[in-house]
Amino acid sequence: MSDPICNSNPHVLLVAGLVYAQEGNHVEALKACHAGQSLEMLALCVQVYLKMDRADKAEQQVKAMSAVDDDATVTQLATAWVGVALGGAKVQEASYIYQELGDKFSWTVRGELPASTVRVMTFYLC
């Protein structure tokens, strides 16, 4: 990522961040995705912070995402991810978010699994 042209291209930075995150290189992933302020880059930051068990930092990124577009699907998903990580009443909120998204976009197996997991967590935690 030493090429200045690559560092100015948000798509290259996002892909680089995804690769770094997949490889477990959280520091480089955060460097790549903090360069831009697109919802996708902020969502990647949320995922990386959650992998690092830094729900507080992930929550800050979700607030930044909400400031850009509170109703965007990726913002809603990130909000649910952080809610599950924080636990407590936030798990119930995450359940509602998954339910809304499932109703809006038609349920699929990929969408049903996280929603079901959150429902089980809600049952045992509340």
Side-chain angles (χ1 to χ4, degrees), residues 30-45:
L30 289 172
K31 282 182 188 176
C33 64
H34 270 295
Q37 290 300 312
S38 71
L39 289 176
E40 292 79 10
M41 286 186 170
L42 292 170
L44 178 59
C45 288

Side-chain angles (χ1 to χ4, degrees), residues 11-25:
H11 297 102
V12 171
L13 291 171
L14 179 61
V15 171
L18 289 166
V19 170
Y20 285 132
Q22 184 64 32
E23 294 297 316
N25 191 343

Side-chain angles (χ1 to χ4, degrees), residues 8-9 20 27 46 52 61 65 78 82 86 94 101 112 114-115 124:
S8 64
N9 186 328
Y20 285 132
V27 173
V46 170
M52 296 170 64
Q61 295 298 310
M65 291 175 75
V82 172
L86 291 173
L101 291 174
E112 183 66 33
Y124 285 108

Side-chain angles (χ1 to χ4, degrees), residues 2 19 98 122:
S2 60
V19 170
Y98 281 123
T122 304

Side-chain angles (χ1 to χ4, degrees), residues 67-104:
V68 174
D69 188 354
D70 192 38
D71 293 329
T73 302
V74 69
T75 303
Q76 295 299 312
L77 283 171
T79 303
W81 299 334
V82 172
V84 170
L86 291 173
K90 298 282 185 176
V91 174
Q92 185 65 42
E93 291 175 28
S95 176
Y96 294 143
I97 291 170
Y98 281 123
Q99 184 66 43
E100 283 180 27
L101 291 174
D103 292 344
K104 182 177 179 180

